[in-house]
Amino acid sequence: RERLEESGGTDDLLSRHAAYFLAEAQAAEPELVGPQQRRWLSRLDREHGNLRAALDWSLERGDELGLRLGVALSRFWYARGYLSEGRRWLEEGLSVLGDAASAPVRAKALGEAGGLADYQGDFEQARVAHEASLDIYRRLGNERGIATSLRNLGSVAASQGHYGRATELLGESLTLLRRSGTDTDVVRVLIRLGTLAISRGEHARSVAWF
């Protein structure tokens, strides 16, 4: 990099570097919940330094690529336990770009940042992030995004012990996902509803959900 800076070709190469690792992360994203998960996690582990460099360079320039990269890596942050790091990158990207980020990318980033905050027990910040994500998805008319945000808000409400509110939100999410989601989306909500019913002592109801 020092030699590159001397030659004056830094920006072009670092731009190509960031674009390459965005493509890598986006290729990995769907594989991190499939049978090739271990192989792709190992691949991202090996490139962690490059991924950090691409994030740092992109966000320093206020480039949306950095936020898109953070979103694509969200499952990696979860799987490897890099909750604070992932949350920091996403929150930095949201702060740096603000409304300059495209609405779909901003909505997804808010949802992922909220999920990481929820995992860390920062329920209030998680709620704020998910509500902001929900607002964007409503404006976009993105039904699956709306359903995902409602599911996330339901999970936060359950974590806070607001079981009635959680059941209501998850029920709304399930209705939408039966129409516009995948089978996997529907199953995730059914599992949450079953777990929530156990927390409420409604064991027969939990059996029905499961």
Side-chain angles (χ1 to χ4, degrees):
R1 183 163 179 171
E2 289 170 359
R3 293 292 190 184
L4 186 64
E5 287 170 353
E6 290 174 9
S7 72
T10 314
D11 282 348
D12 177 62
L13 189 60
L14 291 180
S15 176
R16 288 162 55 197
H17 175 274
Y20 174 84
F21 282 101
L22 172 62
E24 284 286 290
Q26 289 177 330
E29 186 178 11
E31 302 294 339
L32 296 183
V33 290
Q36 300 300 317
Q37 182 189 58
R38 179 177 294 181
R39 183 171 70 86
W40 280 93
L41 283 172
S42 296
R43 187 166 172 171
L44 293 177
D45 283 334
R46 289 194 300 272
E47 301 294 358
H48 203 168
N50 277 310
L51 294 165
R52 286 169 170 156
L55 283 160
D56 190 52
W57 180 83
S58 301
L59 294 179
E60 188 178 279
R61 293 170 59 88
D63 191 324
E64 187 182 285
L65 185 152
L67 192 56
R68 290 163 58 203
L69 178 54
V71 166
L73 289 171
S74 293
R75 288 173 180 164
F76 173 64
W77 307 134
Y78 283 114
R80 285 298 191 238
Y82 301 132
L83 305 182
S84 294
E85 179 180 356
R87 187 176 167 189
R88 177 174 60 81
W89 286 120
L90 288 167
E91 290 178 351
E92 182 181 343
L94 287 163
S95 176
V96 166
L97 288 160
D99 292 336
S102 64
V105 171
R106 185 170 174 78
K108 185 74 184 294
L110 283 162
E112 298 295 356
L116 289 167
D118 188 10
Y119 265 66
Q120 291 189 306
D122 190 351
F123 303 128
E124 184 57 25
Q125 188 57 45
R127 181 188 64 77
V128 169
H130 289 316
E131 285 182 349
S133 180
L134 175 61
D135 181 61
I136 295 172
Y137 280 129
R138 286 196 193 283
R139 285 190 277 112
L140 292 172
N142 184 326
E143 190 168 84
R144 188 179 177 190
I146 292 168
T148 299
S149 294
L150 290 170
R151 182 197 70 199
N152 291 336
L153 284 166
S155 294
V156 173
S159 296
Q160 293 178 300
H162 304 318
Y163 298 143
R165 178 60 175 158
T167 301
E168 178 185 342
L169 289 163
L170 291 170
E172 289 180 43
S173 175
L174 183 62
T175 298
L176 294 175
L177 288 173
R178 286 193 188 282
R179 185 165 63 231
S180 60
T182 66
D183 287 344
T184 300
D185 292 330
V186 171
V187 167
R188 284 174 178 161
V189 178
L190 290 171
I191 289 172
R192 281 175 167 82
L193 283 164
T195 305
L196 184 57
I198 290 175
S199 300
R200 302 182 73 178
E202 299 172 352
H203 300 298
R205 187 63 171 156
S206 73
V207 170
W209 289 124
F210 287 136

